[in-house]
Amino acid sequence: MGITTTCLNILEKNKACLGMIIVQIVFTGMSMFSKAAIDKGMNPYIFVVYRQAFATITLAPFAYFLDRKKADPLSYSLLLKIFLISLFGTTLSLNLYSYSINYVSATFASATVNSIPAITFLIAVVFGFERFSMRDFPGVVKIVGCVISVSGAIVFALVKGPQLNWSRASHATNPPIITHSITPKEKWIQGCLLMLAANIIWASWLVMQAPLVKEYPAKFRLAMVQCFFSFTQSSIWAMSLVRDISSWRLRWDFNLLSVAYCGIVVTGLSYWLQLWVVENKGPLFAASFTPLILIFTAILSAFIWKEILYLGSICGGILLVAGLYCVIWGRNKEAQNEANSEKTDPKEDTSV
C-alpha cells in the first residue's frame, strides 16, 4: 500500500514530464508514418488535409462533452485570432514539414526538430513569457541546457565515427523495408531549409498558445477549432495545387493508417496534451522534450528501415539528454523559488 501511494505521488508530481514523453513518442511515430506514406507516393498537401480532418473529428466529441461548461462561446475577435494562429502556425508548419520530409530522412528530420527548444526560448524571452537572469544559477542552467541540446543535435546529424556492430549486422542480414531514393543536392538543401522554417513556425506556435489558453481555457475546444481552421486552410491550398481526383482517393492501405495515426493520435490527442503542459509549465518546458524524438526515431529507424547507427549518434544522444535535464532542472528550480517567494511574502506583510 505504501509503495503504491509513493508511486502515485511520484506520477502526480511528474505528470507534466510523463505527458511530454508520451507526446515525443507519438511524434516519433508521426515522422516514421508520414515519411513512409509520402515516400510511397501520397501528396504531402493532401496528407495534411486528411490528417487535420481526422483530428477535427476526433476532438469534436471531447470538445462538446468535456468543455461545454468551461468557457463562454467564442467571440468573433477570438475566432479571428485563432484563425490567424492556425494559418501561420499549424497549417504553414505542417505543410512545410510534410513537403520537406520528402527530401530528407526521418532521422534527419528529427534532428532538425531539436532546434525548437532554443528557438522557443528566444521567442518566449522576447515576448515576455519566459524570464531568465544571468545572475541566477537556474537561468544560466536553462541557457546552457538549450546550447547543449542543440550541440547534441548537431553532433548526432554530422558526426559519424565508428559504425555500431549490431546495426551493421542487422543491416546485412535484413534488407531495407523502405528504400530511400537519392535526391539531388539542391532538393536536399531545399528540404533542410524548409524543415528549419517549419521548426521556427512551430516554435512560434508553441509560444502563442500560452496567452491563447489563458484567454480561452477550454483546451479540447481550442484544439478542435485550430484543427478545423487548419483543415479548411489546407484544403484550399491543396485543391489549388492538386487537381487530379485520383490523388485524393484514400484506400484501405498504409496511407490510410498513416493519415489516421497522424490525425487521431498526433494532431488530435497530443495537441491537447501539449496545450495542457504549456498552460501549466510554459512553452519552454514543452519544447525542451523535443530532443527525445531524435533518439526514439534513430532507434526505430535502425530496426524498421535498417538505417545504420554510429558512435557519433550515441554521443549526440547523450548530449541531448543532458541538455534536456538541464532545462528541466532550471525550470523546476525557478518554479520552486517562485513558490517560496510567494509563501514568504504574506508573512512579511503580517509582521509589518
Side-chain angles (χ1 to χ4, degrees), residues 61-245:
F62 292 98
Y64 178 77
F65 290 108
L66 299 180
D67 280 351
R68 57 181 175 178
K69 296 182 179 179
K70 287 186 178 180
D72 297 329
L74 290 164
S75 62
Y76 289 110
S77 61
L78 185 57
L79 279 174
L80 177 61
K81 185 184 297 184
I82 296 174
F83 179 88
L84 293 176
I85 291 176
S86 300
L87 176 61
F88 295 105
T90 311
T91 301
L92 190 55
S93 64
L94 287 180
N95 278 278
L96 287 175
Y97 178 89
S98 299
Y99 178 81
S100 59
I101 203 173
N102 195 33
Y103 303 111
V104 298
S105 68
T107 304
F108 183 84
S110 299
T112 60
V113 167
N114 291 280
S115 61
I116 291 179
I119 298 171
T120 304
F121 179 72
L122 293 175
I123 296 174
V125 168
V126 170
F127 288 96
F129 298 113
E130 287 286 342
R131 300 188 306 273
F132 82 97
S133 175
M134 296 300 295
R135 299 178 180 178
D136 296 332
F137 185 67
V140 175
V141 171
K142 286 201 312 186
I143 297 175
V144 172
C146 289
V147 173
I148 292 176
S149 293
V150 174
S151 301
I154 294 174
V155 171
F156 192 103
L158 301 180
V159 179
K160 288 189 176 181
Q163 178 180 329
L164 298 182
N165 292 328
W166 67 269
S167 178
R168 180 167 59 239
S170 176
H171 183 75
T173 55
N174 298 303
I177 296 176
I178 299 174
T179 58
H180 301 286
S181 59
I182 300 176
T183 58
K185 185 177 180 180
E186 294 78 10
K187 289 293 185 181
W188 184 83
I189 295 175
Q190 181 185 14
C192 294
L193 293 176
L194 291 177
M195 185 69 69
L196 178 60
N199 294 335
I200 294 174
I201 295 170
W202 185 254
S204 303
W205 179 86
L206 278 174
V207 174
M208 289 185 287
Q209 297 310 299
L212 194 60
V213 171
K214 290 182 179 178
E215 186 174 357
Y216 196 79
K219 291 179 285 295
F220 273 117
R221 188 181 298 180
L222 181 60
M224 186 207 70
V225 173
Q226 291 189 74
C227 290
F228 175 75
F229 281 147
S230 179
F231 162 69
T232 56
Q233 294 158 358
S234 300
S235 299
I236 295 172
W237 174 252
M239 285 187 290
S240 64
L241 295 177
V242 185
R243 304 296 178 87
D244 186 10
I245 301 298

Side-chain angles (χ1 to χ4, degrees), residues 312-327:
S313 301
I314 301 299
C315 295
I318 294 173
L319 287 175
L320 287 170
V321 174
L324 171 65
Y325 177 80
C326 289
V327 174

Side-chain angles (χ1 to χ4, degrees), residues 191-350:
C192 294
L193 293 176
L194 291 177
M195 185 69 69
L196 178 60
N199 294 335
I200 294 174
I201 295 170
W202 185 254
S204 303
W205 179 86
L206 278 174
V207 174
M208 289 185 287
Q209 297 310 299
L212 194 60
V213 171
K214 290 182 179 178
E215 186 174 357
Y216 196 79
K219 291 179 285 295
F220 273 117
R221 188 181 298 180
L222 181 60
M224 186 207 70
V225 173
Q226 291 189 74
C227 290
F228 175 75
F229 281 147
S230 179
F231 162 69
T232 56
Q233 294 158 358
S234 300
S235 299
I236 295 172
W237 174 252
M239 285 187 290
S240 64
L241 295 177
V242 185
R243 304 296 178 87
D244 186 10
I245 301 298
S246 61
S247 300
W248 289 83
R249 190 172 298 121
L250 280 178
R251 299 176 178 86
W252 293 95
D253 55 9
F254 184 81
N255 289 350
L256 177 61
L257 175 63
S258 301
V259 168
Y261 175 84
C262 292
I264 297 173
V265 182
V266 180
T267 310
L269 300 181
S270 70
Y271 274 23
W272 171 84
L273 193 54
Q274 281 187 106
L275 289 176
W276 178 81
V277 174
V278 168
E279 181 187 24
N280 289 274
K281 295 292 186 176
L284 177 61
F285 183 89
S288 63
F289 282 81
T290 52
L292 296 178
I293 300 179
L294 177 57
I295 299 174
F296 296 152
T297 304
I299 295 173
L300 289 178
S301 295
F303 285 102
I304 299 176
W305 288 349
K306 312 307 176 187
E307 290 185 3
I308 301 173
L309 282 179
Y310 296 91
L311 182 60
S313 301
I314 301 299
C315 295
I318 294 173
L319 287 175
L320 287 170
V321 174
L324 171 65
Y325 177 80
C326 289
V327 174
I328 295 175
W329 184 90
R331 185 66 184 86
N332 288 338
K333 198 66 177 178
E334 287 181 341
Q336 291 177 5
N337 293 339
E338 291 176 1
N340 292 334
S341 63
E342 289 178 358
K343 290 180 180 178
T344 55
D345 285 343
K347 294 179 180 180
E348 295 176 357
D349 296 338
T350 54

